[in-house]
Amino acid sequence: MRQVWQALQQVQHPRNSFRAFESRLHWHCHFIQKFETQPNIEFTDLNPGYRSFPWQNDEQHLQAWRNGQTGIPLVDACMRCVAATGFLNFRMRALLVSCLTHLLGLNWKLGVEHLARYFLDFEPGIHYPQFQMQAGVTGINTIRIYNPVNQGYDQDPTGAFTRRWVPELGEVEDKFLQEPWKSGRAVKILGTHYPLPMVDHLGAAKEAREKVWAVRKRADFKSQAKAIS
């Protein structure tokens, strides 16, 4: 890290183009130092207000998420990809966590070690804080509940990534690839070769927002959030 930072100081190009990269170097060290001083965030919610959060307890949903069989194409493609290659970009990692915690309503602790085993760039000081941040249990970060259908069309507009990792949907039209339950061609596939979606992603997201904000509005939660740096 020191060598990378020193090399960055020698760059002659306009520094503005490197500010984002330099800030990531600072955040990298920040999170690792934070983990060294608070190693319990590997096991407990950073904000105590979430320790009584009404998580679901559905083993079938958990196994489907782990195996890339949720019936939500982009989510399944991401899980299968990371299982095979050990890598996903930041947005797709966040999508997997959002699906686990927000759409399926499962405790982040049930998925944090599963992905840790896959990531080739696994770093505990980065992984656990980022996982909690995306799950929304820090209490100090913006809640991001991803719509996996919209993300699919936005991030994989040609469908190449989804089709590579979810070949069961090979015959589905492009316009329905991220929501095959709307395609007439998928009638023989869904429920046999590829599962129906385990949840209604729009309804599940709405329910998740209501639960999250019910906690975040509490006075005790707000006071605990102020103590977190």
Side-chain angles (χ1 to χ4, degrees):
M1 180 60 68
R2 291 177 179 175
Q3 288 179 313
V4 172
W5 189 85
Q6 291 289 346
L8 184 61
Q9 307 314 302
Q10 305 305 314
V11 172
Q12 300 300 315
H13 299 287
R15 291 300 302 278
N16 287 345
S17 60
F18 289 91
R19 282 182 178 173
F21 178 67
E22 186 171 8
S23 71
R24 293 301 184 274
L25 298 183
H26 287 291
W27 279 112
H28 174 274
C29 294
H30 165 81
F31 280 115
I32 289 179
Q33 290 171 359
K34 187 175 183 65
F35 188 67
E36 289 176 347
T37 59
Q38 291 182 268
N40 63 317
I41 63 176
E42 178 180 352
F43 309 106
T44 61
D45 301 311
L46 187 59
N47 190 303
Y50 274 101
R51 294 174 190 173
S52 59
F53 190 80
W55 299 108
Q56 300 295 312
N57 184 23
D58 192 316
E59 183 65 22
Q60 183 180 4
H61 282 188
L62 177 60
Q63 291 305 321
W65 178 82
R66 288 177 173 174
N67 297 328
Q69 292 288 338
T70 66
I72 304 175
L74 186 61
V75 171
D76 293 339
C78 287
M79 185 61 80
R80 297 179 189 188
C81 175
V82 74
T85 69
F87 183 80
L88 277 178
N89 65 33
F90 182 82
R91 175 67 63 88
M92 296 302 99
R93 296 183 189 205
L95 176 69
L96 286 180
V97 181
S98 181
C99 177
L100 174 75
T101 58
H102 301 140
L103 302 187
L104 301 181
L106 299 171
N107 195 315
W108 63 271
K109 300 170 191 174
L110 299 176
V112 69
E113 291 186 5
H114 180 77
L115 288 182
R117 295 188 186 99
Y118 284 145
F119 290 153
L120 292 176
D121 57 355
F122 170 65
E123 162 56 60
I126 304 297
H127 184 66
Y128 292 103
Q130 287 291 322
F131 215 98
Q132 289 207 38
M133 187 182 301
Q134 182 52 54
V137 297
T138 64
I140 60 174
N141 301 106
T142 302
I143 300 297
R144 292 184 174 88
I145 300 178
Y146 288 93
N147 181 320
V149 171
N150 289 348
Q151 288 295 313
Y153 290 128
D154 291 344
Q155 304 300 322
D156 187 24
T158 67
F161 177 81
T162 302
R163 292 184 189 282
R164 176 181 180 182
W165 296 106
V166 189
E168 302 97 307
L169 302 178
E171 298 301 318
V172 177
E173 310 96 311
D174 289 348
K175 65 179 180 179
F176 293 130
L177 181 60
Q178 302 301 335
E179 40 194 345
W181 50 90
K182 293 184 177 181
S183 169
R185 296 183 187 178
V187 172
K188 296 181 180 180
I189 300 172
L190 300 181
T192 54
H193 301 292
Y194 186 69
L196 286 161
M198 306 209 76
V199 294
D200 166 24
H201 68 280
L202 294 177
K206 181 177 182 295
E207 183 178 350
R209 289 190 187 91
E210 292 172 350
K211 289 181 178 180
V212 167
W213 284 107
V215 174
R216 290 173 74 98
K217 290 178 181 178
R218 296 200 318 251
D220 64 317
F221 179 90
K222 293 179 179 179
S223 65
Q224 291 163 342
K226 290 180 180 179
I228 298 173
S229 60

